[in-house]
Amino acid sequence: MADLSGSTILVVGATGGLGREIARQLSEAGATLVLSARDPAAIAALGLGGAVVAADLTDPAEIRRLVQVAVTVTGQLDGIVVAAGVVAFGPAAELAPGTVERLFAVNAVAPMLLLQAAHAALGASAAAGRSPAFVTLSGVVSESPTANLAAYSASKAALAAFGTAAGRELRRSGIRILDARPGHTDTALSTHPIDGTAPALPRGLDPVAVCARIVRAITDGERDLPSTAFTAS
Ligand SMILES: NC(=O)c1ccc[n+]([C@@H]2O[C@H](COP(=O)([O-])OP(=O)(O)OC[C@H]3O[C@@H](n4cnc5c(N)ncnc54)[C@H](OP(=O)(O)O)[C@@H]3O)[C@@H](O)[C@H]2O)c1
């Protein structure tokens, strides 16, 4: 996807610290955007342009509808960036079942269902000579599972494993899976956990630089962004 003009990219989690910056940089590179999160007013308030499709990723029917509407309003789909996610802190022995379920629903199951729902549209993009990409942000915890983030780490490791296997399956059809694994980055993620409280965290990576690295990987056709790719961010 060296030239993003003429491509349509769906950014899921567009209201987040990383999602909104990735969307801004993709737009700057010429992409047409479809932006998604749960609150349509919050998405519109970003002022990024593009179509707005609200969806709650914990509902599989909403995921199918999101992809359907994205394809209908723009006529094509050349990429999805899954920048939605939730975190929870606390000892593994004290995790509430509902917390574990929600972590897995948003962080692992939703991206799997998004890829399934978008498979035909992304395949059509490849057949038309474009270079569709499906981008996930499993983060450094999928490489180095972290104490007090056991279920979050597990949900992200599941996502990374899914992407690796699906990427192998899809390679011949021209659909590229790209998993990005930055370390702690300065967004609001740790300030609104669905359970627990974040410990005092050291200063994180710069979100603008992290997103620039991800967008460069999208445009340059890269297939993997391990945590080490972000050390200079
Ligand atoms: N920040 C980091 O240190 C870091 C490092 C590595 C990887 N990551 C991963 O990168 C992704 C983005 O993180 P961030 O730092 O940008 O977090 P963030 O600022 O908290 O943004 C989270 C995004 O997820 C969306 N979201 C949450 N639950 C949702 C649901 N049920 N349905 C639809 N959308 C939902 C939020 O939208 P609403 O407006 O609907 O709430 C928001 O757009 C996450 O997957 C995170 O795990 C983050």
Side-chain angles (χ1 to χ4, degrees):
M1 202 145 36
D3 179 9
L4 294 180
S5 46
S7 349
T8 295
I9 302 182
L10 167 62
V11 180
V12 180
T15 51
L18 295 179
R20 88 171 71 110
E21 180 58 25
I22 289 171
R24 190 189 67 71
Q25 294 188 24
L26 289 172
S27 170
E28 220 167 66
T32 297
L33 299 177
V34 180
L35 303 172
S36 187
R38 284 170 295 184
D39 177 2
I43 308 169
L46 297 170
L48 287 170
V52 170
V53 188
D56 186 331
L57 297 176
T58 58
D59 180 348
E62 292 253 305
I63 291 174
R64 288 192 294 275
R65 184 187 56 81
L66 164 61
V67 172
Q68 217 166 44
V69 175
V71 174
T72 307
V73 294
T74 63
Q76 67 187 68
L77 190 59
D78 307 303
I80 300 184
V81 178
V82 188
V86 286
V87 71
F89 298 93
E94 292 171 19
L95 279 162
T99 301
V100 178
E101 269 171 32
R102 194 154 146 220
L103 285 167
F104 272 78
V106 178
N107 295 348
V109 176
M112 296 181 197
L113 298 182
L114 272 166
L115 181 64
Q116 260 181 9
H119 177 252
L122 295 174
S125 166
R130 297 188 292 272
S131 306
F134 185 85
V135 183
T136 55
L137 278 101
S138 73
V140 69
V141 295
S142 70
E143 293 175 1
S144 307
T146 302
N148 288 309
L149 285 169
Y152 175 70
S153 301
S155 71
K156 292 295 192 170
L159 171 62
F162 174 80
T164 301
R168 287 180 187 141
E169 286 176 27
L170 295 172
R171 204 174 177 114
R172 291 183 68 174
S173 65
I175 300 171
R176 175 166 54 105
I177 309 271
L178 166 65
D179 184 43
R181 299 186 291 282
H184 169 57
T185 306
D186 280 330
T187 69
L189 178 70
S190 61
T191 67
H192 49 224
I194 59 169
D195 207 351
T197 309
L201 292 165
R203 188 164 174 202
L205 297 169
D206 169 17
V208 175
V210 165
C211 295
R213 184 67 191 88
I214 293 170
V215 170
R216 177 151 65 88
I218 293 172
T219 58
D220 289 0
E222 292 178 65
R223 291 179 180 274
D224 196 38
L225 275 177
S227 55
T228 49
F230 294 92
T231 47
S233 291

